[in-house]
Amino acid sequence: MTAGGDPAALGQLLRSRRERLVPADVGLPAGLSAGRRRTAGLRREEVAMLAHLSVTYYTFLEQGRPVRPSEQVLDALASALRMSAAERRYLHVLAYGPDGDSGAVPGAPGAAGGSAPPELLDPAVADLVQRLEPFPTLVKGRRWDVLAANPAARELFGDWPAGPPGERNLVRWMFTTDQAREVYLEWEPEARAMLGRFRLSAARYPDDPDISALIAELQRDSEHVRDWWPRHDVTAIGGSGAKKLRHPRLGPVEYSHAVLQVADHPDQTLVTYSLVTGS
């Protein structure tokens, strides 16, 4: 593996996806009845055959040994295991480190080990956040800490800047506060999606102790994170969409949102919300 890769997590991802499939999912004959199969999902030799690999080589990958798969091998495995686009990106990040993600920046902070320096928000971006009032707008950093939020966002989601530094974190807020369950009318699918996006983002920094500490705290404090994190589910980062939220004054409303990457600091993301017409 190249520096920054995570062989153990790569093996866990391969195994978890193999165990979710059955022969019929990949066009293979059932063979032994499902009740007599000694392993969950596909066998290793079935995945190896589909990806045109030796069983020994695939086994080494799944065991987390420090072998170096080529991009062609990763693509073949992603196709064999029916991975989504987000899962394919995750697979490459686990194999090659931050540069394995097409959206990553070479030499990104934290990728080579050690805590990254404190994140600083460009004053022009901070000013933009305030000028987008009354549209709820915030900026999150590489650890998903809230770096800026305008009054509309603070009213809708909570007054993050007023809290202790360790608690100004979107993922922590989602999984450890009652307020998040009040705000998100569809809390569970939204929480799963957020954890999947955070996982894909965090995979770029496997050696960053600040991110590792946050993950450990989330697993300690949230039964949902303890249950979902081992599944290696990931969700595409970025894009736009709609969310059903409960506003403290307006009640249940539907918001559309847009997600924008800060050009000079690609680890920072601006998210802005607007009411859906007729909501």
Side-chain angles (χ1 to χ4, degrees), residues 63-101:
Q63 289 175 341
R65 299 198 188 189
V67 297
R68 176 183 167 82
S70 67
E71 291 190 13
Q72 291 78 12
V73 166
L74 295 179
D75 289 340
L77 286 169
S79 296
L81 294 170
R82 302 300 191 263
M83 290 188 180
S84 67
E87 289 170 331
R88 286 172 182 261
R89 286 199 297 275
Y90 183 44
L91 181 67
H92 280 257
V93 171
L94 294 181
Y96 301 131
D99 295 348
D101 180 5

Side-chain angles (χ1 to χ4, degrees), residues 65-239:
R65 299 198 188 189
V67 297
R68 176 183 167 82
S70 67
E71 291 190 13
Q72 291 78 12
V73 166
L74 295 179
D75 289 340
L77 286 169
S79 296
L81 294 170
R82 302 300 191 263
M83 290 188 180
S84 67
E87 289 170 331
R88 286 172 182 261
R89 286 199 297 275
Y90 183 44
L91 181 67
H92 280 257
V93 171
L94 294 181
Y96 301 131
D99 295 348
D101 180 5
S102 60
V105 176
S115 297
E119 288 190 276
L120 299 177
L121 189 63
D122 189 299
V125 177
D127 180 63
L128 174 62
V129 170
Q130 301 306 318
R131 285 191 287 113
L132 285 171
E133 181 75 19
F135 301 102
T137 304
L138 59 92
V139 176
K140 62 181 178 65
R142 75 174 175 279
R143 211 181 76 116
W144 288 51
D145 293 326
V146 178
L147 305 179
N150 64 11
R154 293 161 69 171
E155 180 185 23
L156 178 59
F157 296 108
D159 194 1
W160 288 299
E167 297 180 8
R168 302 171 190 172
N169 183 274
L170 276 171
V171 189
R172 174 184 289 282
W173 175 82
M174 177 65 96
F175 283 96
T176 65
T177 70
D178 293 333
Q179 185 185 25
R181 289 168 171 79
E182 286 291 322
V183 172
Y184 281 91
L185 299 180
E186 299 173 338
W187 181 85
E188 183 166 327
E190 291 285 357
R192 282 182 180 272
M194 179 180 287
L195 191 65
R197 289 190 294 272
F198 171 70
R199 173 150 217 153
L200 184 55
S201 177
R204 298 172 56 204
Y205 307 104
D207 302 318
D208 188 316
D210 295 331
I211 292 177
S212 297
L214 174 60
I215 294 168
E217 291 167 6
L218 290 168
Q219 290 178 303
R220 179 195 66 197
D221 297 338
S222 169
E223 61 178 337
H224 290 92
V225 177
R226 287 195 298 273
D227 181 36
W228 296 343
W229 192 259
R231 301 170 187 250
H232 285 268
D233 291 331
V234 292
T235 309
I237 298 173

Side-chain angles (χ1 to χ4, degrees), residues 252-267:
V253 291
E254 185 172 4
Y255 282 92
S256 63
H257 70 280
V259 181
L260 307 173
Q261 191 176 51
V262 178
D264 293 335
H265 299 279
D267 287 330

